[in-house]
């Protein structure tokens, strides 16, 4: 993963928001929805790590390194697709919970954008 503190802060904020959404889902809809939110959080966490580790090699000058990074990235997304299938079809996790958990990175990006706007405000 990148050594950039922004990526670390974004990941921590996303994990915190996912846990908060899971707690709300548990209180409102029960354990099934909360597990769905956590499952969606796992999916987006794997995706986040795949993107963070795959983007470093994309700036390389050598075509071979770029091909290898692309193959790894495609493999990781194939794994994500398989995990999503297992969570929806086999584990029967709540689909709206999965969607809420998967949106935790988007919510974290909104929080980080608000922080940056507040920090840069005159």
């Amino acid at each position: 993963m990148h050594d950039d503190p922004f990526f670390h802060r974004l990941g921590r904020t996303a994990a915190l928001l996912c846990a908060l959404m899971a707690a709300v889902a548990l209180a409102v809809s029960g354990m099934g929805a909360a597990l769905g939110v956590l499952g969606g959080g796992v999916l987006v966490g794997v995706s986040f790590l795949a993107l963070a580790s795959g983007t470093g090699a994309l700036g390389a000058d050598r075509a071979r390194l770029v091909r290898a990074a692309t193959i790894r990235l495609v493999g990781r997304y194939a794994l994500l697709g398989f995990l999503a299938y297992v969570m929806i079809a086999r584990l029967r996790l709540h689909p709206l919970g999965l969607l809420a958990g998967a949106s935790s990175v988007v919510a974290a990006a909104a929080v980080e954008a608000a922080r940056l706007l507040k920090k840069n405000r005159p």
Side-chain angles (χ1 to χ4, degrees):
M1 190 158 159
H2 288 277
D3 289 329
D4 188 359
F6 175 76
F7 284 108
H8 291 288
R9 193 171 55 246
L10 184 67
R12 282 192 311 268
T13 304
L16 177 67
L17 289 173
C18 185
L20 180 65
M21 286 188 278
V24 169
L26 179 64
V28 172
S29 297
M31 184 61 77
L35 289 175
V37 171
L38 293 176
V42 167
L43 284 176
V44 80
V46 170
S47 176
F48 184 76
L49 291 175
L51 282 174
S53 67
T55 56
L58 291 178
D61 292 332
R62 297 186 180 148
R64 192 178 107 212
L65 290 175
V66 172
R67 270 195 308 270
T70 302
I71 290 170
R72 281 195 312 266
L73 193 62
V74 168
R76 287 180 182 134
Y77 277 102
L79 176 63
L80 280 175
F82 175 72
L83 288 173
Y85 166 76
V86 168
M87 288 180 180
I88 292 170
R90 299 296 178 203
L91 297 177
R92 302 208 184 274
L93 293 180
H94 197 281
L96 292 178
L98 283 170
L99 183 61
S103 67
S104 60
V105 167
V106 176
V111 168
E112 291 301 322
R115 284 181 186 162
L116 285 173
L117 286 173
K118 185 178 177 183
K119 180 180 176 183
N120 293 332
R121 195 173 188 188

